[in-house]
């Protein structure tokens, strides 16, 4: 067969925006300015026996548009200084190629193989320089071939058949050092204790394990899948605030023994709240792929937030896209399938202007740019609005950025749980299995080093959103089938692939799996690779044999591939793995799921001394406010938000950007999950990484911020559920473990105080990067709190944009002079105020939330906003800018034991709210607030100027400009 | 025919005299449910049919009074937005769709639907002197990327049945856009024709054009006035709480401009029906 090459380039009048974007990206890189111009063309390589007429026909009817494109069969002549082409490496997902192959088959009835690529004609740089620039800006050599000149291979590479037998691995007689070597070199990433447990198990069986069995156990026991650190027994030495952890006990010398950290803290909060009456509302917590709560009488909503950090460090576009894709699949795989209705994203990256980037790391600018594109392309194609998120900048994220992806789903209330029955078929639906993504679960549980890019390139993947969208459509049709739901259980193939999905679904029953049944992307995969591949866009369902025909017809209509992998239920509750009839592995489900040895981890906490500044000076309010507004953590994220379709599905009632010009940063988004109903769901988050010096304070502040964000748009604080996402800089030593204990204790205390049950969570505990020189860069301990809350009627919602001149600005809550971890301190080391971290007041915080929510429900609040990063002045400026008004402030009126004006203006004390109210309502509101500290701190003005007596005088437009461009210029 | 159930919204499907609206779904189409909601609120009964089913039984189209080609990323927008779906539609459905237009069936094609309609030859539709030549295209936005925002629009006097008599004050005269390839381009002759035959149905206000379209064209109709293709999403503007700054405007009781379009089309169908009966 021949490979035909077709080039399509935009005709002159069509312009070349893609080329323009590429040019801008290269110009932003060091050494990129010598590039004078760039022209792009799409390249299609088609392998098939076609004559010239057929190739031209495909070109003209499908690949090129008669008005806007020019078509060249073969390669057009090189008229620029050099030509560079970027093509996906063999085996890397090429979503467009998949769609084109299917289209050619439908239109012409010819089976073809397609690969797509992109040609760049570069002016001003030679091929060597061009290739280097392209490798940095336009391609990622991990997944792309960066080719000099037009690429036109004679044939596509094909896989080679592989030895399909399963090999025994000598384990029973290994000494400790050999066990550890096997763990590391076999990419099992198990500890010595765990290797001993495996050894004991197989010694008792009287045989050596086979490779597929070891891989299965390593996946099942990975940190990623089983959260063994958070579930470990932890001995904690050190202070714990707020009543400690009730289910822990004191052992010798005052050490606290916590039998299962997660259970005693995060889960304990939820379970206590359920005992106290939230059991009717919390429908499924911690057990499924997402946590589920009631929405209205008939429907439930679920929420899951995942991280995809290590893949995003190596290939940010694919990492982020498959991150959101995996999280969406989690929601589809919750209960008997939820419909995804919203997505969220939070990124933590290095400064965009960072100069010295360690070897093996991508530049933070490129990482952020590409993760945004990854979420955009996947979320938009899935038709799920991405509507809440933020970005946090800190150079400690340089080697290990954090990419949080969340997804919210809605489902009928009677479908919140499912379980396979013995005899049900194991059905896989969706994408084919390939070698991509092998070892993702164990990879995510290891730390990154500068050689990881080479060693784990196969763990890096590109997503194919359309495959997942087709699967979603088919599953919704199967769920809502006229004869009732066609499946008894469903889960997604995430980390660990079939191994985890079937292993978890079959935990109680056992399962027999015939691996040769799985459709493959290419030949040459070993059975073990098929079993543990984390290839994207696959779901596993349990389906009774008599419902298969109905499912098959839905799959055919939706162009979804499916296969029957085997059966649930074995006499001995075993996992039996076969290939072509011969048995490759047999494991006891009980050992897989309960054989992991308990661990005892030591943890300690030694608070660092709070420094006392040598000298202090008050900040110039105008300068400080201007600087804060353009600080990248605070500045507008509109350039990101506008790239996401945040309104698809037509449910978005409070959008991420609000106000008459659509520039105001909404505290949270509100959607209507049930069409035809005005009942709403607010979606928001809290992140307080500035307080990482004490994770206890950090997590409480994050919970408080999440609640405030939701309350500010109109959510009922009595009906908010939250999620935890730990991202830790490692947990191998006592100090890191101590930080983990403090964060977890804060989840317990915060969850109970705010009456916000945790319904789901996730941890990623090895976020550090070791450079070539051996230096370890650890991220700050990071905890994202995501939350959603019920809005009884969306028509009662408020937004943060100031509404009318002469309305008053009321600050609710007390301000303290603790400025530790604040942006004020970041900008001015000599700022006045205590360096202590602000501690959330667990009485005032929930009380303030309730009273503010009451005022909003009564219709007394015109706009509401939470002062967080940058404090009261920044929040007031955001409100004024968003509404196109000015504001005259009286910072002296800020309540609290304060003797500094800059502290009053910029302290980031939690639990405070800024409310815009009409003067006529003021008295009533103050009555309502009762004992709650509050004061009128300003008045909105028609004149677009921000003033504070003679201490501040700034044009709103100046502030707006600083705020709008801060992140782009950072 | 298998049709997917729509979310959890119940429709009065038993009301047999409601006009039936066909909503074509396909791999990657994702604005189908809000389009169905729009038809339902306007008084029609929406039904989803997948493109694969339509391709094997194109006659299904004959049963419908209204047609919607929803937005999304059909087939991932591989090659170009809407390209593959357009090729499939023009290879097997175009005759039935043309027959439906001859029957007087109004069709709406927002966003990806517009991109499909233009490349499949439904829009601008046959015009004298042009033969079968394609003369229009929706190109990559001039900013080079996907953009989601609300824009101020105008409805020039046109023959389009969907945009007749839309009334709204300045604050409400908005529509949301969300696309990466929405820059309308037409050859000179076509543009002259579109204007002279009153086929330009929706325009961006000149200072609020999100993609650099020629003449700020946001939507066009065919010569029958029945087929409207537009980049904005009227189906995302059915409730006042979808307005981008509804929290600062006065509550209103009338229909949103988005819903008015669907009401116009349904009214047109009912009038035609009454005319036939009379």
């Amino acid at each position: 067969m021949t490979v035909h090459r077709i080039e399509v380039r935009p005709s002159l009048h069509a312009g070349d925006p893609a080329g323009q974007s590429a040019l801008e990206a290269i110009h932003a890189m060091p050494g990129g300015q010598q590039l004078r111009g760039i022209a792009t063309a799409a390249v299609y390589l088609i392998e098939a026996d076609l004559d010239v007429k057929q190739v031209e026909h495909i070109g003209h009817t499908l690949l090129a548009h008669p008005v806007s494109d020019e078509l060249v069969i073969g390669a057009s002549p090189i008229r620029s200084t050099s030509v560079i082409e970027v093509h996906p490496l063999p085996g890397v997902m090429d979503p467009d190629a998949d769609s084109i192959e299917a289209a050619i088959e439908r239109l012409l009835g010819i089976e073809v193989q397609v690969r797509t690529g992109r040609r760049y004609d570069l002016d001003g740089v030679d091929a060597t320089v061009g290739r280097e620039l392209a490798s940095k800006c336009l391609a990622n050599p991990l997944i792309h071939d960066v080719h000099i000149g037009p690429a036109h291979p004679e044939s596509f590479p094909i896989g080679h058949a592989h030895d399909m037998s399963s090999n025994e691995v000598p384990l029973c007689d290994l000494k400790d050092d050999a066990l550890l070597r096997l763990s590391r070199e076999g990419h099992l990433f198990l500890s010595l204790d765990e290797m001993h447990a495996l050894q004991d198990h197989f010694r008792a069986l009287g045989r050596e394990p086979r490779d597929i069995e070891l891989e299965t156990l390593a996946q099942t026991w990975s940190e990623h899948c089983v959260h063994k650190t958070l579930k470990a027994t932890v001995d904690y030495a050190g202070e714990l605030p707020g009543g400690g952890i009730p289910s822990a006990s004191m052992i010798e010398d005052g050490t606290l023994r916590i039998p299962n950290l997660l259970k005693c803290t995060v889960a304990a909060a939820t379970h206590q709240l359920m005992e106290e009456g939230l059991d009717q509302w919390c429908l499924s917590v911690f057990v499924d792929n997402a946590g589920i709560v009631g929405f209205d009488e008939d429907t439930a909503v679920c929420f899951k937030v995942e991280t995809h950090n290590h893949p995003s460090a190596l290939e940010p576009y694919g990492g982020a896209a498959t991150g959101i894709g995996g999280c969406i699949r989690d929601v589809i795989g919750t209960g008997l399938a939820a419909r995804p209705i919203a997505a969220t994203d939070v990124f933590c990256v290095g400064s965009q202007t960072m100069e010295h980037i360690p070897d093996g790391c991508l530049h933070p600018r490129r990482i952020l740019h590409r993760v945004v594109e990854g979420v955009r392309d996947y979320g938009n194609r899935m038709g799920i609005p991405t509507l809440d998120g933020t970005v946090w900048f800190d150079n400690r994220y340089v080697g290990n950025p954090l990419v949080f992806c969340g997804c919210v789903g809605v489902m009928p209330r009677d479908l919140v749980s499912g379980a396979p029955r013995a005899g049900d078929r194991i059905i896989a639906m969706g994408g084919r299995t390939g070698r991509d993504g092998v070892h993702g679960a164990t990879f995510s549980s290891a730390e990154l080093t500068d050689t990881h890019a080479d060693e784990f390139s196969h763990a890096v993947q590109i997503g194919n959103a359309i495959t997942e969208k087709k699967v979603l459509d088919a599953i919704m049709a199967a769920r809502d089938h006229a004869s009732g739901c066609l499946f008894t259980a469903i889960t997604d193939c995430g980390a660990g692939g079939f191994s985890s999905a079937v292993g978890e679904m079959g935990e109680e029953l056992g399962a027999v799996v015939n691996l040769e049944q799985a459709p493959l992307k290419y030949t040459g995969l070993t059975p073990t690779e098929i079993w543990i591949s984390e290839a994207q866009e696959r779901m596993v369902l349990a389906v009774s044999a008599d419902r298969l025909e109905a499912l098959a017809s839905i799959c055919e209509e939706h162009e979804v591939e499916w296969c029957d992998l085997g059966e649930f239920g074995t006499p001995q509750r075993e996992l039996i793995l076969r290939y072509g009839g011969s048995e490759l592995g047999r494991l006891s489900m009980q050992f897989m799921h309960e054989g992991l040895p308990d661990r005892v981890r030591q943890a300690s906490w030694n608070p660092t001394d709070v420094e006392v500044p040598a000298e202090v000076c008050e900040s110039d309010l105008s300068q400080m406010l201007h600087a804060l507004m353009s600080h990248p953590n605070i500045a507008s994220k509109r350039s990101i938000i506008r790239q996401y379709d945040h309104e698809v599905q037509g449910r978005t009632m409070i959008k991420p950007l609000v106000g008459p010009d659509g520039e105001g940063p909404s505290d949270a988004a509100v959607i209507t999950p049930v069409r035809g109903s005005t009942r709403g769901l607010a979606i928001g988050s809290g992140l307080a990484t500035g307080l990482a010096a004490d994770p206890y304070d950090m997590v409480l502040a994050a919970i408080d911020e999440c609640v405030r964000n939701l309350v500010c748009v109109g959510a009922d604080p009595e009906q908010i559920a939250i999620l935890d996402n730990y991202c830790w800089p490692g947990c191998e030593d006592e100090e890191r473990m101590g930080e983990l204990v403090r964060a977890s204790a804060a989840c317990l205390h915060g969850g109970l105080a705010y009456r916000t049950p945790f319904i789901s969570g996730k941890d990623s505990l090895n976020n550090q990067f070791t450079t070539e020189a051996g230096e370890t860069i650890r991220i700050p301990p990071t905890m994202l709190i995501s939350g959603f809350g019920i809005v009884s009627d969306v028509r009662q919602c408020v937004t943060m944009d100031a509404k009318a001149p002469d309305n008053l600005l009321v600050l609710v809550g007390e301000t303290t002079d603790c400025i530790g971890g604040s942006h004020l301190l970041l900008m001015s080391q000599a700022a006045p105020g205590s360096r202590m971290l602000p501690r959330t007041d667990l009485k005032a915080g929930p009380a303030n939330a309730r009273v503010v929510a009451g005022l909003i429900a009564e219709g007394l609040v015109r706009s509401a906003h939470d002062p967080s990063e940058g404090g009261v002045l920044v929040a007031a400026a955001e409100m004024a800018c968003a509404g196109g008004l000015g504001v005259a402030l009286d910072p002296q009126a800020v309540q609290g034991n304060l003797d500094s004006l800059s502290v009053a203006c910029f302290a980031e004390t939690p639990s405070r709210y800024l409310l815009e109210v009409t003067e006529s309502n003021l008295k009533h509101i103050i009555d309502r607030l009762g004992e709650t500290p509050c004061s009128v701190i300003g008045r909105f003005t028609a004149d677009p100027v921000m003033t504070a007596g003679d201490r501040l005088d700034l044009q709103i437009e100046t502030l707006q400009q600083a705020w709008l461009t801060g992140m782009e210029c950072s | 025919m298998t049709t997917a159930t729509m979310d959890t919204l119940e429709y009065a499907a038993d009301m047999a005299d409601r006009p039936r609206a066909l909503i074509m779904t396909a791999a990657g189409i994702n604005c189908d449910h809000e389009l169905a909601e729009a038809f339902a609120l306007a008084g029609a009964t929406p039904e989803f049919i997948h493109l694969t089913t339509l391709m094997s039984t194109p006659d299904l189209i004959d049963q419908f009074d209204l047609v919607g080609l929803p937005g999304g990323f059909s087939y991932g927008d591989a090659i170009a937005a809407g390209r593959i779906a357009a090729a499939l539609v023009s290879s097997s459905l175009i005759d039935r769709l043309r027959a439906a237009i001859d029957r007087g069936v109004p069709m709406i094609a927002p966003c990806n639907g517009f991109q499909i309609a233009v490349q499949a030859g439904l829009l601008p539709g046959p015009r004298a002197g042009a033969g079968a030549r394609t003369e229009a295209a929706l190109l990559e936005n001039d900013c080079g990327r996907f953009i989601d925002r609300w824009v101020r629009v105008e409805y020039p006097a046109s023959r389009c049945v969907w945009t007749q008599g839309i009334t709204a004050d300045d604050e409400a005269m908005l529509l949301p856009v969300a696309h990466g390839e929405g820059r309308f381009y037409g050859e000179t002759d076509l543009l002259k024709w579109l204007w002279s035959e009153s086929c330009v149905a929706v325009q961006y206000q000149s200072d609020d054009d999100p993609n650099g379209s020629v003449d700020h064209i946001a939507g066009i109709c065919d010569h029958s006035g029945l087929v409207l293709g537009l980049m904005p999403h009227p189906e995302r503007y059915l409730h006042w709480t979808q307005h981008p700054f509804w929290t600062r405007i006065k509550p209103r009781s009338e229909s949103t401009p988005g819903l008015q379009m669907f009401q116009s089309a349904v009214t047109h169908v009912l009038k035609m029906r009454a005319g036939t009966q009379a």
Side-chain angles (χ1 to χ4, degrees), chain A residues 49 94 132 135 165 223 225 228 341 465 509 566 597 607 631 658 798 861 899 906 955:
Chain A
D49 286 324
D94 186 349
E132 204 183 308
S135 299
S165 61
E223 186 71 75
C225 294
K228 54 198 174 192
I341 53 172
L509 296 172
H631 187 283
V658 297
V798 294
V861 175
D899 44 25
F906 303 115
Q955 294 292 321

Side-chain angles (χ1 to χ4, degrees), chain A residues 539-553:
Chain A
M539 301 291 296
V540 176
L541 292 78
V543 182
S544 160
D546 61 350
R547 314 298 293 277
L548 272 187
E549 202 179 317
L551 183 69
S553 120

Side-chain angles (χ1 to χ4, degrees), chain A residues 124-135:
Chain A
V125 296
D126 64 24
T128 319
V129 175
R131 183 176 172 160
E132 204 183 308
L133 292 171
S135 299

Side-chain angles (χ1 to χ4, degrees), chain B residues 223-246:
Chain B
H223 200 259
S224 74
L226 291 165
V227 186
L228 169 64
L230 73 174
M231 287 315 297
H233 287 276
E235 79 282 12
R236 295 184 185 181
Y237 190 15
L238 306 174
H239 311 281
W240 285 109
T241 48
Q242 289 170 318
H243 184 282
F245 50 96
W246 65 269

Side-chain angles (χ1 to χ4, degrees), chain B residues 66-209:
Chain B
L66 295 142
V67 172
L69 303 182
F73 289 81
S74 52
Y75 295 91
D77 280 356
I79 309 167
R83 179 70 54 81
I84 290 177
L88 298 176
V89 166
S90 73
S91 75
S92 50
L93 301 183
I94 195 73
D95 292 345
R96 293 327 302 151
L97 289 169
R98 291 239 162 88
I101 298 168
D102 291 342
R103 279 194 291 124
V105 170
M107 301 187 186
I108 189 164
C111 204
N112 202 222
F114 189 20
Q115 293 158 339
I116 294 170
V118 165
Q119 296 175 85
L122 270 178
L123 281 172
R127 77 175 179 93
R133 238 164 48 78
T134 310
E135 302 168 286
L138 289 152
L139 305 173
E140 197 174 353
N141 295 349
D142 58 359
C143 65
R145 58 173 186 242
F146 187 97
I147 185 161
D148 174 331
R149 69 180 179 90
W150 286 65
V151 293
R152 282 176 285 117
V153 295
E154 286 164 10
Y155 301 95
S158 79
R159 57 175 66 236
C160 178
V161 304
W162 295 82
T163 54
Q164 291 306 309
I166 291 182
T167 52
D169 55 33
D170 287 350
E171 263 180 349
M173 250 342 187
L174 303 169
L175 283 175
V177 296
H179 59 249
E181 298 173 41
R183 178 165 47 110
F184 184 82
Y185 173 82
E187 293 178 353
T188 318
D189 286 354
L190 172 68
L191 288 175
K192 269 191 209 148
W193 181 84
L194 287 172
W195 284 113
S196 65
E197 296 301 318
S198 304
C199 288
V200 175
V202 193
Q203 270 183 296
Y204 308 110
Q205 287 199 8
S206 56
D207 57 350
D208 211 12
D209 180 340

